[in-house]
Amino acid sequence: MNDTPERLLRLLSLLQTPREWPGSELAERLGVTGRTVRRDIERLRELGYPVEASMGAAGGYRLVAGAAMPPLLVDDEEAVALAVGLRAAAGSAITGIEEASVRALAKLEQVLPAKLRRRVRVLGTALVPPSGEDPGVDAEILTALAVAVTNTERVRFGYRDGSGAVTTRHAEPAGLVPSRRRWYLVGYDLDREGWRMFRVDRVDGARPTGARFAPRALPADDPAAYVAGRRTDWGTPTLRVRVTIDAPLSRVAGRLGDAPGDITAVDTTSCAMDCDRDDSPEWLAQRLLALGAEFRVHEPTELRDHVRGIAERAKRALR
């Protein structure tokens, strides 16, 4: 490998494998001399990569954690595995990482070769999402919308409202916002000449048009604030939930898919949920039990029934 940039990238890829590489093995893999390996290691260090060297017969080189995240180099199989995992995480909206999953997926799929994108789609269709009452989100649609947001590119898509009627939309996307295990697209609807919020599980066939646009001023601080102020879910039934939890607010906040203000501190050792929720009683019962803290359900009756049902099944399992 006489091309220095190509050789450095290959060396960096080898060092990102979690093991220690003897200089002789690196030289053999790269087809160069030990002296060239040492010189390339110094170049990587000058570029900010923390490469450590250990002496002795069992010594070698390894890349260690530094002050910043270095660019990762992955092969085809690793890229496919990452994309499939990110699609699964984005589609199921795992609390706390859903937005990051979509951003990472958009970056990855934008540079994947066509043959690898096809493999990701085939593998993605074989994944069985967890059962539940909440609608699933197509990770491919999420990715297409995320790319359009990043590129400030107009997008067309079909949209199904709460009654099932389907319309075609042409919008300038401003942001994607996860809220209560659902995704929302905030964008300016060009045909209706106004800002709109779309549930992504009701979006079909999102297609960036290639037409760029200058971002408009949102009627809120940011897309998340717009969703927080406008979210109604168009007829989605809500429950009035009142629960007292014997745990400090810092231990509970964010673990129930809650919006700011849904859970408030009672004192230093307990907190309370007193709000309207559109979660299914079954999901909320499971999340409350997963907290590992004592709690009391004051209302609604449906949530009390689901907690009681789980308790009875647990008792039968222990007989």
Side-chain angles (χ1 to χ4, degrees):
M1 300 182 67
N2 294 323
D3 185 82
T4 301
E6 180 184 355
R7 190 176 66 246
L8 285 175
L9 288 174
R10 175 60 178 158
L11 174 59
L12 182 58
S13 178
L14 291 172
L15 290 172
Q16 286 179 344
T17 304
R19 56 161 291 190
E20 202 162 77
W21 289 89
S24 58
E25 188 173 350
L26 288 174
E28 183 179 351
R29 291 288 192 104
L30 300 173
V32 296
T33 64
R35 180 180 179 182
T36 300
V37 168
R38 291 190 294 274
R39 188 165 58 245
D40 287 348
I41 291 291
E42 287 304 317
R43 288 196 179 99
L44 289 178
R45 287 170 175 163
E46 291 171 0
L47 292 171
Y49 293 98
V51 182
E52 281 190 354
S54 56
M55 307 301 292
Y61 299 99
R62 66 188 183 97
L63 190 65
V64 299
M69 176 74 183
L72 292 177
L73 299 175
V74 296
D75 59 25
D76 287 359
E77 298 298 327
E78 293 166 343
V80 169
L82 284 172
V84 170
L86 289 169
R87 284 168 67 97
S92 59
I94 299 173
T95 302
I97 68 167
E98 58 273 72
E99 187 176 0
S101 298
V102 172
R103 291 200 311 270
L105 183 60
K107 291 178 182 178
L108 183 58
E109 292 206 354
Q110 191 157 316
V111 297
L112 280 179
K115 64 175 184 178
L116 295 187
R117 283 199 299 270
R118 286 193 294 270
R119 288 177 60 186
V120 170
R121 292 193 182 99
V122 169
L123 288 172
T125 59
L127 295 176
V128 179
S131 60
E133 299 178 17
D134 294 305
V137 177
D138 189 326
E140 193 164 336
I141 290 176
L142 269 176
T143 305
L145 293 175
V147 170
V149 170
T150 302
N151 294 339
T152 58
E153 185 177 353
R154 291 176 177 172
V155 63
R156 291 186 183 275
F157 54 88
Y159 189 70
R160 185 183 70 259
D161 64 19
S163 65
V166 178
T167 55
T168 300
R169 303 300 182 101
H170 184 204
E172 295 176 350
L176 281 165
V177 180
S179 176
R180 296 269 185 81
R181 297 173 298 114
R182 288 198 176 99
W183 279 96
Y184 297 88
L185 171 70
V186 176
Y188 187 85
D189 192 316
L190 294 167
D191 296 324
R192 292 155 181 79
E193 297 184 344
W195 286 97
R196 294 292 187 274
M197 185 172 63
F198 307 96
R199 269 178 50 175
V200 177
D201 58 283
R202 294 177 177 174
V203 170
D204 181 53
R207 302 177 304 279
T209 64
R212 306 294 290 272
F213 65 89
R216 303 171 186 261
L218 259 171
D221 291 340
D222 53 41
Y226 184 83
V227 170
R230 297 290 297 274
R231 185 175 186 263
T232 63
D233 284 306
W234 299 275
T236 301
T238 60
L239 296 171
R240 185 62 187 178
V241 177
R242 288 199 309 118
V243 179
T244 302
I245 305 168
D246 295 335
L249 177 62
S250 59
R251 177 179 164 188
V252 175
R255 297 182 61 187
L256 297 169
D258 48 283
D262 278 6
I263 301 178
T264 56
V266 175
D267 51 39
T268 57
T269 61
S270 63
C271 57
M273 177 188 297
D274 188 353
C275 58
D276 292 326
R277 304 274 301 211
D278 63 350
D279 303 305
S280 68
E282 180 182 12
W283 181 88
L284 195 52
Q286 293 171 350
R287 296 301 297 172
L288 284 166
L289 289 166
L291 293 175
E294 298 289 330
F295 64 90
R296 291 169 296 286
V297 178
H298 308 294
E299 61 175 321
T301 303
E302 299 95 321
L303 180 56
R304 293 172 62 88
D305 291 342
H306 276 290
V307 174
R308 185 179 296 110
I310 294 172
E312 291 172 353
R313 290 198 300 271
K315 288 180 181 178
R316 289 195 296 270
L318 294 173
R319 287 173 185 169

